[in-house]
Amino acid sequence: MADTAKPKGGGTARNSGGRRRNRSGAAQKTADEQPKVLLDYYRQMLLVRRFEERTAQAYTQARIGGYCHLNLGEEATVVGLMTALKDEDYLFTNYRDHGYAIGKGMSPRRVMAELYGRSTGVSKGWGGSMHMYDTEVRMLGGYGIVGGQLPLATGAALAVSYRGGDEVVMCQMGDGTTNIGAWHESLNIAALWNLPIVFVVINNFTGMGTTVDMASAEPELHKRGSAFRIEGVKVDGRNVLEVRDAAADLVERARAEQRPFLLEATSYRMKGHSVVDPAKYRTEEQWAEAKDEENDPIAIFAKQLTEAGVLTDELREEIAASVKEEVADAADFAENSPHPDVSTLFDYTYATPVANESRRMPADPVFAE
């Protein structure tokens, strides 16, 4: 968060937006769930955490290039949202997309290979970190342009509606996206045409380096659909069960009622905006808050499961070892996969052949001799 930012009404981020957990409510939710389901959620969250940590390591080793944004601190939100979708539902995300790709059904091997820029990756090595894409699992992109996914997701929802389909589109974005033109245009069209889409705002309180309070006249982002009469809900993004329940409710309502909804999930960003961002705009207090176990979704969930007698020390070690092995396998697969052949560089420039398309390489002369 920016050093100069002060939430309206004074105070720190801790008392902005009601972020404290309801411990008794969380315990009740845990007690109502099957242990197998809870442990599966815990494993999925841990997989995202360890995958992203390995990604950060590979980036510093120059095995991954370009821009790279991590889901660290967002694991409960990722798992909760992806659990709420059916296989046939569509997903559009922003550039912070690795965990969502895995959660939607992409193999960690192929996601890591894409990060490494290898031909076995989900986008054949040409997309990289920000552009995970797989029509089979119906994740139709990470997008590098802020808000670039909103018009496309809205268009996909229009296609579903036009064909009379039963699918729902989920469109994930960061908090900064709610201040751009595509946000207003997309929500307006979605509401006007009654489209089955759930817009999800991941509010980590900091749009790149500026706090939400400093950038948004209405910092309660779930209310920002009210101009278009779109119902909005806010959840604690550190609580996987709360995210799942809220998202599942809105997804099924969008499916049944054929209209859009808005979900805001709050969580802390444990690192800078991207792998190379030192986040010097944060004070020491803000760093401590972001890394506090009270705000770590995995630590929170592990504690709940331990207190409920679901997660034992033996199970915790077993899950940790299994996840470590899976992430190591993904990294090995990526490392040993081939680079795309240079002859394929222009293969996906256009969906169909284009007359007079230039296939000139950087070193080629502008005019043939």
Side-chain angles (χ1 to χ4, degrees):
M1 302 178 191
D3 295 347
T4 56
K6 295 180 181 178
K8 295 172 183 178
T12 66
R14 249 185 228 287
N15 57 29
S16 175
R19 300 176 199 167
R20 289 192 181 278
R21 289 180 292 127
N22 182 333
R23 296 177 186 277
S24 59
Q28 183 59 52
K29 274 182 174 288
T30 303
D32 293 339
E33 298 286 337
Q34 292 293 324
K36 183 178 179 181
V37 172
L38 295 172
L39 290 172
D40 179 54
Y41 291 169
Y42 175 74
R43 188 187 188 283
Q44 289 184 55
M45 290 166 61
L46 192 62
L47 175 60
V48 173
R49 172 70 58 86
R50 298 293 176 254
F51 185 95
E52 294 292 59
E53 290 171 345
R54 185 60 179 258
T55 296
Q57 176 187 334
Y59 193 92
T60 61
Q61 297 169 335
R63 287 180 164 85
I64 296 172
Y67 293 101
C68 188
H69 307 79
L70 306 176
N71 291 124
L72 295 172
E74 198 177 321
E75 295 87 356
T77 300
V78 171
V79 174
L81 291 176
M82 294 304 93
T83 303
L85 294 177
K86 292 184 177 179
D87 290 344
E88 62 267 26
D89 292 332
Y90 294 94
L91 174 68
F92 290 75
T93 75
N94 65 356
Y95 41 77
R96 202 178 301 277
D97 59 352
H98 313 157
Y100 294 95
I102 294 171
K104 193 65 173 76
M106 295 188 204
S107 159
R109 279 182 155 200
R110 296 186 65 217
V111 174
M112 188 67 83
E114 188 58 42
L115 289 168
Y116 275 55
R118 305 304 172 93
S119 60
T120 53
V122 294
S123 298
K124 301 185 185 299
W126 294 120
S129 171
M130 298 191 291
H131 304 293
M132 300 293 163
Y133 189 101
D134 189 342
T135 52
E136 256 186 57
V137 302
R138 298 199 168 188
M139 177 173 175
L140 303 188
Y143 291 83
I145 301 298
V146 174
Q149 72 275 28
L150 269 73
L152 299 176
T154 305
L158 174 60
V160 170
S161 178
Y162 185 79
R163 294 184 308 210
D166 191 45
E167 307 97 322
V168 170
V169 176
M170 178 175 284
C171 182
Q172 175 265 20
M173 70 205 78
D175 44 67
T177 304
T178 61
N179 290 319
I180 69 168
W183 159 269
H184 301 284
E185 294 163 354
S186 298
L187 267 68
N188 183 59
I189 288 293
L192 194 62
W193 292 347
N194 299 312
L195 303 181
I197 182 170
V198 177
F199 296 99
V200 180
V201 179
I202 310 301
N203 183 0
N204 54 37
F205 319 122
T206 313
M208 190 170 283
T210 306
T211 62
V212 171
D213 290 318
M214 291 286 286
S216 298
E218 174 50 89
E220 293 293 316
L221 302 181
H222 64 288
K223 298 178 180 178
R224 298 199 62 182
S226 59
F228 312 102
R229 299 183 179 180
I230 294 178
E231 182 180 338
V233 175
K234 183 178 182 178
V235 294
D236 183 349
R238 300 164 299 176
N239 187 320
V240 64
L241 299 179
E242 187 177 329
V243 174
R244 180 205 62 184
D245 290 348
D249 178 61
L250 295 186
V251 165
E252 291 314 309
R253 288 183 64 189
R255 196 186 316 278
E257 301 171 27
Q258 290 293 294
R259 64 187 179 104
F261 291 91
L262 172 60
L263 177 65
E264 175 189 358
T266 57
S267 59
Y268 286 81
R269 195 174 71 200
M270 292 184 164
K271 295 287 186 181
H273 176 71
S274 69
V275 174
V276 297
D277 174 18
K280 292 182 178 179
Y281 41 81
R282 283 180 174 174
T283 64
E284 289 185 10
E285 181 187 7
Q286 289 164 343
W287 267 120
E289 184 177 354
K291 294 182 177 182
D292 193 322
E293 281 202 352
E294 287 286 306
N295 295 315
D296 181 336
I298 294 178
I300 292 169
F301 199 46
K303 185 177 181 181
Q304 290 174 7
L305 298 189
T306 301
E307 291 174 349
V310 173
L311 183 64
T312 62
D313 289 343
E314 183 180 0
L315 267 176
R316 186 197 295 261
E317 291 176 9
E318 182 182 315
I319 292 171
S322 170
V323 166
K324 182 179 180 181
E325 183 179 347
E326 185 171 3
V327 172
D329 173 71
D332 288 343
F333 176 78
E335 184 72 39
N336 294 301
S337 291
H339 290 278
D341 191 277
V342 70
S343 65
T344 66
L345 181 60
F346 299 100
D347 283 2
Y348 306 102
T349 306
Y350 298 100
T352 54
V354 174
N356 302 315
E357 175 193 356
S358 173
R359 301 182 73 87
R360 184 173 64 86
M361 299 295 288
D364 290 347
V366 177
F367 302 104
E369 296 181 1

